[in-house]
Amino acid sequence: MRLTQILLSKIGKYSKDFSNLPDRYINRAMEQVEWKNPKGIQYKANTVLKRRKFKMGMHRPWTAQFREDNAPGVSHDKIWVEPIRKWSFFRGDRVEVLVGKDKGKQGIVKQIFEERNWVTVEGLNCVLEKMGERKDFAGVYLQIEKPLLVTNQVALVDPSDLEATPFEWRFTEDGEEVRVSTRTGRIIPMPPSAEETIDYKTKSTYKEQPKDTRADDVVQITFEPQLKTFEMDIMDNMGIKEDRIPPKSYWY
Amino acid sequence: MSCVNLFFKRGISTSCARYGKRNFRKFPLFNKRGSKIFKEQRKDPNYDLPHDKRGVRDIGYNDQDGKFVLIPEKVPEIIVPDLKDFPLKPYVSYRTPDVIQSEFTAQDLFNVVYAPKIAKDFQEEKLNDDGSPVEPSPEELMTSEEARIKAEQTGTDLFTQGC
């Protein structure tokens, strides 16, 4: 029970891929520590009272709305999520919507919420939400895509005939694992947008900024092994000479 | 004979708490925390819990008069080289391919520093019968006494704790 709790409370890889944020930051932003043991060798380490179960919704875990939804004292009903062994829907995939108003229409996957088995399809399964209504202001309408369950509300589209298909993960002769449509046998390729993040469209087209170390400089190996510690090397470079001999000490 | 009325009074003994330690578990009373009497008691050099330095290392000491004596060697000197035209920057570009470097072990260091000379000496037959070199390099000349002295001088990382 404990193991599944830990596994289910982690943020899915594809849910946080697009944001390009380090895991350390996400955990720190999500954390709600009620009480922690003080620092000191006399205290038991890692004794924390914190929230373990979070309500995963449409808001990302590092946002303010997520914090509001999971404020201390706020509890929610258990949300049942079918565990999927291998996540198969990536950003930029062409999918067909199987339920709702936009049944039968095809669109491109925009957002992934792995913890709830949701994907958002661009422009489909939308609702109009009114925001900012005040006495003198009528408010604006926003078209927001509602999420769809990956298991039974959305299907991958076969590129050969542009129809919804069930699919399987199979290995090619090169050893690469790919999605294959079981109806036609056509490989459903990985979309190029899967690599996209908020910082770049693809890694190779990223524009290097002034504070970035250039790729060529990072890959260069400039280390020359010497029989010196780091401090000794600095001393030699700076011309700092150490002539003092420490007196002999004894351990009994 | 008049009867004696016995009044039973139950009181709370406060002497144990008064004489006992104040700084108990999960309620650390360091530096400016605690009452005036408690802080005065703590000034005694033989007090159980020493003054909490909060991780800062002293740069001197207080002599008998109470005056602070500075030790210049204890004052940290931060050496920062000039970073003009330095190619490495704080962030790394996303374009870099994954660099996989194996661990640099003591054996690798030995192979770089000592191994070529030993191999060369062996081929040119410049080794004595017991295996020691005829023309030793400065690294090979170092005795254990010299190594111990070097290990205790400035620049070593062997005996430093909690940096």
Side-chain angles (χ1 to χ4, degrees):
Chain A
M1 226 284 255
R2 192 95 179 109
L3 188 64
T4 47
Q5 269 181 19
I6 295 162
L7 289 173
L8 291 172
S9 62
K10 251 171 46 174
I11 314 293
K13 178 184 179 275
Y14 300 105
S15 302
K16 52 187 178 183
D17 245 355
F18 183 76
S19 66
N20 214 15
L21 289 167
D23 274 347
R24 274 180 62 214
Y25 170 71
I26 295 171
N27 292 332
R28 196 179 0 124
M30 254 178 83
E31 212 168 47
Q32 279 175 24
V33 172
E34 190 190 315
W35 180 83
K36 209 158 102 163
N37 234 3
K39 264 190 187 175
I41 49 167
Q42 69 267 43
Y43 303 117
K44 190 172 158 190
N46 302 327
T47 311
V48 219
L49 263 181
K50 63 179 179 186
R51 188 188 254 279
R52 309 235 174 227
K53 288 188 202 170
F54 293 90
K55 182 188 172 198
M56 300 291 183
M58 292 274 300
H59 301 297
R60 297 296 178 190
W62 50 88
T63 48
Q65 294 100 321
F66 180 87
R67 256 199 119 73
E68 219 181 281
D69 284 341
N70 288 289
V74 169
S75 67
H76 59 270
D77 292 335
K78 163 111 183 155
I79 294 165
W80 295 95
V81 176
E82 188 191 324
I84 292 176
R85 192 164 291 192
K86 199 173 169 73
W87 187 264
S88 323
F89 292 79
F90 306 100
R91 197 189 140 87
D93 256 339
R94 187 178 277 263
V95 293
E96 188 178 307
V97 179
L98 306 173
V99 295
K101 257 197 316 186
D102 296 320
K103 183 173 172 174
K105 292 191 194 166
Q106 293 182 357
I108 295 171
V109 168
K110 199 169 165 194
Q111 285 179 310
I112 302 170
F113 304 89
E114 229 182 292
E115 311 82 42
R116 294 289 296 267
N117 288 348
W118 282 343
V119 281
T120 322
V121 184
E122 204 170 342
L124 299 181
N125 203 40
C126 299
V127 289
L128 287 176
E129 276 185 22
K130 201 174 191 184
M131 303 222 133
E133 191 172 5
R134 289 193 298 274
K135 272 197 207 150
D136 54 339
F137 185 60
V140 285
Y141 279 98
L142 290 175
Q143 192 184 51
I144 295 173
E145 292 107 352
K146 281 282 159 196
L148 290 157
L149 267 178
V150 140
T151 42
N152 56 3
Q153 293 177 352
V154 133
L156 275 179
V157 158
D158 191 335
S160 54
D161 55 3
L162 289 183
E163 299 275 331
T165 50
F167 65 95
E168 240 179 24
W169 281 95
R170 290 188 205 157
F171 288 92
T172 58
E173 277 178 14
D174 303 321
E176 200 192 325
E177 207 174 7
V178 285
R179 296 171 294 182
V180 175
S181 146
T182 42
R183 202 184 56 224
T184 49
R186 164 82 159 86
I187 292 173
I188 301 168
M190 190 71 101
S193 294
E195 205 196 330
E196 189 183 330
T197 68
I198 206 158
D199 291 322
Y200 53 83
K201 284 261 184 218
T202 61
K203 284 195 173 168
S204 48
T205 56
Y206 173 72
K207 188 179 168 194
E208 273 156 1
Q209 304 297 314
K211 281 191 185 174
D212 283 328
T213 321
R214 302 187 61 225
D216 318 314
D217 292 328
V218 176
V219 172
Q220 259 180 26
I221 300 169
T222 51
F223 174 58
E224 287 154 17
Q226 285 172 339
L227 197 64
K228 287 183 204 172
T229 60
F230 182 56
E231 289 92 352
M232 284 174 176
D233 208 4
I234 292 174
M235 278 167 66
D236 286 339
N237 275 336
M238 295 268 162
I240 300 165
K241 286 200 168 53
E242 178 62 269
D243 300 322
R244 298 174 298 175
I245 294 168
K248 222 174 175 185
S249 60
Y250 301 90
W251 289 92
Y252 295 104
Chain B
M1 196 157 88
S2 58
C3 58
V4 179
N5 280 334
L6 293 169
F7 293 100
F8 289 101
K9 273 193 211 166
R10 269 177 287 177
I12 304 164
S13 163
T14 52
S15 44
C16 306
R18 279 203 316 271
Y19 291 122
K21 271 206 298 204
R22 232 57 50 110
N23 204 347
F24 46 90
R25 270 167 50 106
K26 315 235 172 148
F27 194 38
L29 295 170
F30 39 75
N31 302 353
K32 293 203 194 243
R33 294 191 80 187
S35 65
K36 212 171 186 178
I37 302 162
F38 174 70
K39 279 185 261 187
E40 260 181 51
Q41 280 176 341
R42 223 188 39 219
K43 278 183 190 166
D44 180 19
N46 296 325
Y47 185 68
D48 274 343
L49 285 156
H51 184 84
D52 194 341
K53 306 274 162 121
R54 307 304 273 151
V56 176
R57 286 188 271 194
D58 273 339
I59 54 170
Y61 60 94
N62 284 315
D63 64 11
Q64 292 109 327
D65 308 324
K67 221 179 159 193
F68 187 75
V69 176
L70 182 87
I71 302 167
E73 267 130 22
K74 276 199 148 187
V75 175
E77 196 188 325
I78 300 165
I79 302 166
V80 180
D82 187 23
L83 290 175
K84 196 181 172 219
D85 297 330
F86 189 55
L88 302 179
K89 304 265 166 68
Y91 301 98
V92 176
S93 148
Y94 286 113
R95 280 201 205 168
T96 44
D98 278 331
V99 174
I100 299 161
Q101 253 186 341
S102 53
E103 203 190 319
F104 183 70
T105 56
Q107 192 166 41
D108 297 325
L109 185 63
F110 180 88
N111 289 341
V112 171
V113 175
Y114 292 105
K117 171 116 191 330
I118 294 170
K120 201 174 97 165
D121 280 348
F122 183 74
Q123 273 155 14
E124 291 170 10
E125 289 173 29
K126 281 192 181 162
L127 289 176
N128 293 329
D129 288 330
D130 59 347
S132 58
V134 172
E135 292 160 18
S137 64
E139 287 98 7
E140 282 168 337
L141 271 174
M142 189 158 59
T143 57
S144 60
E145 189 53 37
E146 277 177 44
R148 186 195 63 82
I149 289 167
K150 268 203 160 174
E152 286 176 354
Q153 281 179 336
T154 315
T156 61
D157 53 3
L158 262 180
F159 302 114
T160 48
Q161 281 176 28
C163 284

